[in-house]
Amino acid sequence: MAETKKLFIKTYGCQMNVYDSERMAEALGGNGYEEVSSAAEADMILLNTCHIREKAAEKIYSELGRMRDLKTAKPDLKIGIAGCVAQAEGAEIMRRQPMVDLVVGPQSYHRLPEMEARAGGGEKVLDTDFPEEDKFELLKARPKSKRGPTAFLTVQEGCDKFCAFCVVPYTRGAEVSRPVDRILTEARDLVARGVREITMLGQNVNAYHGAGTDGRDWTLARLIWELAEIDGLERLRFTTSHPNDMSDDLIDAHGRCEKLMPYLHLPVQSGSDHILKRMNRSHTRDSYLRLIDRIRTARPDILLSGDFIVGFPEETDADFRDTVRLIEEVGYGQAYSFKYSTRPGTPAAERGQIDDAVASERLAELQALITRQQRAVQDAMIGKEVGVLFEKAGRMPGQMVGKSDHLHAVHVDSDTLQPGDLRRVRIIGSNTNSLSGVVL
Ligand code: 5AD
Ligand code: SF4
């Protein structure tokens, strides 16, 4: 029998990369690889990279610099770059870091086993195509037998929206939805292996329009209702969404589908109509606020999450104030804010950039506001009863941690709870990044 080789994968960026890394590990299992948790013992290191902001790509190059010693100590060590930096930089990576053996873009992961075999023979291999075939269908390998209680499942990939700041349409390609039957098969398989909560992933997941089991295209809402029929699957989530694709049936599902959790990540990016227009967002501040009203009418306790960019080209103080006011008006339970980062090849990269110190000041102000809001939303949970899906032991002895319906981390004292247990919990305390509760 062939000796098992050791694979170390480091994942950067979004949840879809986490999902992709799992699938790549499974696929390479077929080539005799077993995953390990340290780079030092690996025969192959795979960096699954993110290109969304500048620092992300620079991090990869410095990580590669640090790996030079490993490669010197073990000349047979193979180093591969996957993900969005691989897609965007392609052969440039091997030019800049000749010790890289393999570069694979996100749409070519099903070709990884064959690429690994060629790299093993000493070849330098690169694949950043956007092939026609269904990579997920071809990514069948050796699934892990048992799983934790939560899992990601990609249902849609890519984006056709072309926001002026964003590289995603170029790195992940055009919007594609997976067919419903494949998603259902994968979901049932996950549930059979212990999964009780699935987060459906897509760069534009609410634009989902995959081929349904009746031959028609299904919406995300229709898919949610179908997944909700699976026995043993208790919770559904999805991320990440665009305001323009928040259809009536999806809002209705938020109001009526018990398994769909009351949490919605719906990035708006800016509160200024002028900036939204320059971002090519094709919605306004007002249309977004009206949408939020409708969602809250359908599901009053929904926790809203968002993404914000500050320092976008031409952003004035007044534009920034509009964003601050919007955040104050909506009240987010969770929000992520970023300083605008120029991405080569995107329309906004061609425009006059604003002063970095001004952008940093705005970012600090926004983050302080968001932190206060998050804490206020958390504190307001005290005394409430929520569902918690327990995932693992906490840091303190006798403690278990899980996620609430609203995606807050919750810890309780218990000697009997197991990972995968879903319980009603009364919240009794709020800390910096988590809540504490008692099982009812
Ligand atoms: N600069 C800063 N933030 C960005 N994002 C996407 N592209 C950029 C960029 N060029 C942010 C957006 C998006 C999130 C995933 O990353 O807010 O919603
Ligand atoms: Fe990028 Fe999202 Fe805009 Fe698509 S919708 S271009 S993924 S920010």
Side-chain angles (χ1 to χ4, degrees), residues 25 77 98 159 184 186 192 205 304 306 329 336 339 344 389 410:
L77 172 68
C159 181
L184 292 175
E186 196 171 323
V205 72
L304 291 169
E329 199 167 321
Y336 306 88
K339 191 155 79 172
L389 177 61
V410 177

Side-chain angles (χ1 to χ4, degrees), residues 69-141:
D69 291 349
L70 289 175
K71 186 100 172 180
T72 313
K74 194 195 264 184
D76 279 351
L77 172 68
K78 298 294 167 214
I79 297 184
I81 306 295
C84 292
V85 175
Q87 187 64 44
E89 304 261 293
E92 176 63 22
I93 299 178
M94 284 170 178
R95 266 195 293 275
R96 224 172 124 173
Q97 274 294 357
M99 65 179 193
V100 171
D101 301 286
L102 180 159
V103 173
V104 58
Q107 301 311 332
S108 305
Y109 291 158
H110 53 295
R111 297 176 177 168
L112 191 57
E114 183 245 334
M115 292 174 73
E116 185 279 330
R118 280 166 52 206
E123 245 183 276
K124 296 270 176 197
V125 278
L126 170 99
D127 192 336
T128 51
D129 288 352
F130 287 103
E132 285 294 312
E133 67 261 19
D134 180 349
K135 70 170 168 185
F136 294 110
E137 194 45 21
L138 295 161
L139 253 179
K140 280 190 186 140

Side-chain angles (χ1 to χ4, degrees), residues 14-244:
C14 65
Q15 291 150 321
M16 192 173 284
N17 267 11
V18 175
Y19 174 84
D20 286 343
S21 289
E22 283 172 7
R23 305 306 303 270
M24 286 192 277
E26 289 173 359
L28 286 172
N31 286 26
Y33 279 93
E34 138 197 300
E35 222 182 330
V36 294
S37 56
S38 90
E41 55 176 317
D43 301 298
M44 176 164 179
I45 297 175
L46 201 54
L47 302 182
N48 191 8
T49 61
C50 168
H51 200 51
I52 198 91
R53 284 168 293 275
E54 210 152 11
K55 281 194 197 123
E58 283 315 308
K59 260 192 236 159
I60 301 306
Y61 284 111
S62 40
E63 182 81 46
L64 283 171
R66 284 195 296 277
M67 281 174 184
R68 194 164 300 135
D69 291 349
L70 289 175
K71 186 100 172 180
T72 313
K74 194 195 264 184
D76 279 351
L77 172 68
K78 298 294 167 214
I79 297 184
I81 306 295
C84 292
V85 175
Q87 187 64 44
E89 304 261 293
E92 176 63 22
I93 299 178
M94 284 170 178
R95 266 195 293 275
R96 224 172 124 173
Q97 274 294 357
M99 65 179 193
V100 171
D101 301 286
L102 180 159
V103 173
V104 58
Q107 301 311 332
S108 305
Y109 291 158
H110 53 295
R111 297 176 177 168
L112 191 57
E114 183 245 334
M115 292 174 73
E116 185 279 330
R118 280 166 52 206
E123 245 183 276
K124 296 270 176 197
V125 278
L126 170 99
D127 192 336
T128 51
D129 288 352
F130 287 103
E132 285 294 312
E133 67 261 19
D134 180 349
K135 70 170 168 185
F136 294 110
E137 194 45 21
L138 295 161
L139 253 179
K140 280 190 186 140
R142 295 186 185 166
K144 279 193 221 157
S145 47
K146 222 175 152 343
R147 304 252 348 186
T150 65
F152 295 131
L153 201 175
T154 292
V155 304
Q156 178 278 337
E157 197 172 349
C159 181
D160 294 341
K161 297 246 174 357
F162 292 93
C163 297
F165 49 81
C166 187
V167 285
V168 166
Y170 312 96
T171 58
R172 288 274 170 179
E175 209 184 281
V176 178
S177 297
R178 293 178 70 193
V180 170
D181 58 351
R182 309 262 164 83
I183 295 167
L184 292 175
T185 304
E186 196 171 323
R188 288 193 193 104
D189 174 63
L190 288 168
V191 172
R193 294 191 277 140
V195 168
R196 306 196 73 189
E197 169 179 313
I198 288 179
T199 301
M200 288 166 275
L201 299 181
Q203 272 84 31
N204 239 307
V205 72
N206 58 344
Y208 178 85
H209 57 270
T213 51
D214 56 4
R216 298 214 192 133
D217 276 3
W218 283 18
T219 61
L220 184 66
R222 180 87 177 76
L223 176 65
I224 287 168
W225 285 109
E226 194 71 20
L227 284 166
E229 293 290 319
I230 298 177
D231 275 342
L233 180 58
E234 304 299 341
R235 287 171 147 193
L236 290 165
R237 304 182 187 277
F238 61 88
T239 195
T240 177
S241 301
H242 192 288
N244 288 8

Side-chain angles (χ1 to χ4, degrees), residues 296 302-304 330-334 370-382 384 406 408 430 435:
R296 280 187 162 147
I302 200 160
L303 189 146
L304 291 169
V330 173
Y332 291 90
Q334 178 79 264
I370 287 167
T371 305
R372 283 198 303 278
Q373 277 197 347
Q374 284 175 187
R375 188 60 197 254
V377 169
Q378 249 188 235
D379 292 351
M381 297 305 295
I382 295 174
K384 294 213 168 100
H406 301 92
H408 286 123
S430 166
L435 298 169

Side-chain angles (χ1 to χ4, degrees), residues 52-53 165-166 267 269 307-309 338-343:
I52 198 91
R53 284 168 293 275
F165 49 81
C166 187
Q269 314 295 358
D307 290 338
F308 298 90
I309 296 177
F338 312 99
K339 191 155 79 172
Y340 170 70
S341 159
T342 311
R343 305 284 63 211

